[in-house]
Amino acid sequence: MHTPSGVSLPVVPAALAPVLPSRYGREQEPAPGAGVRVTSDTLPGLESMSPADEGSVWLHDALLGPHSADIVRYLSLARSTGGPVLDLGSGAGRLAVPFARHGFAVEAVDRDASALERLGSWARRIGPQVAGLVVTHRTDLVDLRLDGSYRLALLAGAMVAAVPPVRRPALLREVASHLETGGALALDYTAHQLPGLIAEPRRTWAFQVPRFDGVDEWVVARQVFDLPSMSERITYYTARTGKLSTERVVLTTDKWIVDPERLAAELQSAGLHIEGRRRHRIDERTESVLLVCRTDE
């Protein structure tokens, strides 16, 4: 999945290859179109990126919408817990709207007003019965203050990695205090092997976005880890080619590298115990981890 040094890579069609900006200075830039085409349903970094404009919705929602296996897993969990459901970092509703379509009352929280507008518009297009089950709140997760009580809370799409580690314990305590007895918090994150990050702190990806509107869209993604701060930055160089022109867009998302032991201790301190853990291998150095945590009885 990642790009080891010295390995020759498949080439993205030259006409679609994004142009990498010069601000990277002396950092070696991949050749035009260099990268690995990714076919997995788990794409690191896209999880916490909010679309910058309407054209970017495809990059965000097409890959994290019907192609995301986690929606099925979270829906299965909701059927066992019941609602209401709290969707933290909901984005444009890739979980909230399907949950409402399945009859669950959902409160969706996100800091991106445009994403919440798209969520509401999507729910209304389906019909008043679905729209009536969704309530949206615009706020940053680090400032979260809840009023209701919930049977299930979600930090899906690695949203826990978007919260600064120093602010994470307070967020987990806030969520846990508003879960009903026996309620659950489900979250996922990307787990990295430290030796792998040291050996390869920069990685490059390339993939084609599945579109059905006559536009060819390719993305080259650059992932840069900073171990002293335990953070990472992913930049997406997107090229969309239609019948008349090619559009290039650069999108960036910043995340924190999650320490699994520290996260487990924070969950326990918040009054949550890890009931289940599911691992999905991304490559030999990286895996996606899904945790289901229950409130202490």
Side-chain angles (χ1 to χ4, degrees), residues 5 56 92 159 190 214 237 253:
S5 309
S56 303
M159 282 307 303
T190 302
Y237 304 93
T253 181

Side-chain angles (χ1 to χ4, degrees), residues 163-188:
V163 180
V166 296
R167 307 295 294 274
R168 198 168 57 208
L171 171 63
L172 295 176
R173 288 194 300 269
E174 177 70 12
V175 173
S177 68
H178 287 265
L179 287 176
E180 297 179 8
T181 302
L185 165 65
L187 61 90
D188 58 72

Side-chain angles (χ1 to χ4, degrees), residues 2-27:
H2 63 275
T3 307
S5 309
V7 175
S8 115
L9 304 169
V11 176
V12 175
L16 304 179
V19 176
L20 304 184
S22 59
R23 63 186 177 84
Y24 280 90
R26 298 186 204 173
E27 181 182 345

Side-chain angles (χ1 to χ4, degrees), residues 38-227:
V38 178
T39 57
S40 169
D41 58 9
T42 304
L43 296 172
L46 286 169
E47 308 91 345
S48 62
M49 182 183 69
S50 295
D53 51 47
E54 286 299 320
S56 303
V57 172
W58 279 98
L59 176 61
H60 182 261
D61 290 345
L63 289 169
L64 292 179
H67 304 278
S68 289
D70 65 337
I71 295 178
V72 176
R73 299 190 189 108
Y74 286 126
L75 273 172
S76 297
L77 179 60
R79 291 191 181 99
S80 68
T81 62
V85 176
L86 176 66
D87 185 8
L88 298 169
S90 64
R94 72 181 189 92
L95 287 177
V97 174
F99 269 55
R101 292 187 70 172
H102 283 261
F104 295 99
V106 183
E107 288 192 31
V109 178
D110 202 278
R111 67 181 180 183
D112 187 333
S114 62
L116 292 177
E117 289 174 4
R118 287 194 298 276
L119 187 160
S121 176
W122 182 13
R124 289 190 296 273
R125 286 199 305 272
I126 296 172
Q129 192 170 21
V130 170
L133 289 173
V134 180
V135 176
T136 60
H137 301 283
R138 183 188 178 191
T139 186
D140 196 302
L141 293 185
V142 299
D143 300 319
L144 185 68
R145 297 294 182 270
L146 298 169
D147 294 324
S149 60
Y150 313 92
R151 293 293 300 168
L152 175 63
L154 303 174
L155 274 166
M159 282 307 303
V160 70
V163 180
V166 296
R167 307 295 294 274
R168 198 168 57 208
L171 171 63
L172 295 176
R173 288 194 300 269
E174 177 70 12
V175 173
S177 68
H178 287 265
L179 287 176
E180 297 179 8
T181 302
L185 165 65
L187 61 90
D188 58 72
Y189 63 91
T190 302
H192 302 277
Q193 294 183 14
L194 186 58
L197 296 182
I198 296 173
E200 191 182 9
R202 293 177 175 83
R203 305 176 185 184
T204 301
W205 317 69
F207 51 89
Q208 186 172 18
V209 177
R211 295 186 65 144
F212 310 98
D213 59 352
V215 174
D216 289 323
E217 181 165 355
W218 283 83
V219 178
V220 173
R222 169 165 290 170
Q223 189 174 27
V224 180
F225 297 96
D226 182 71
L227 293 181

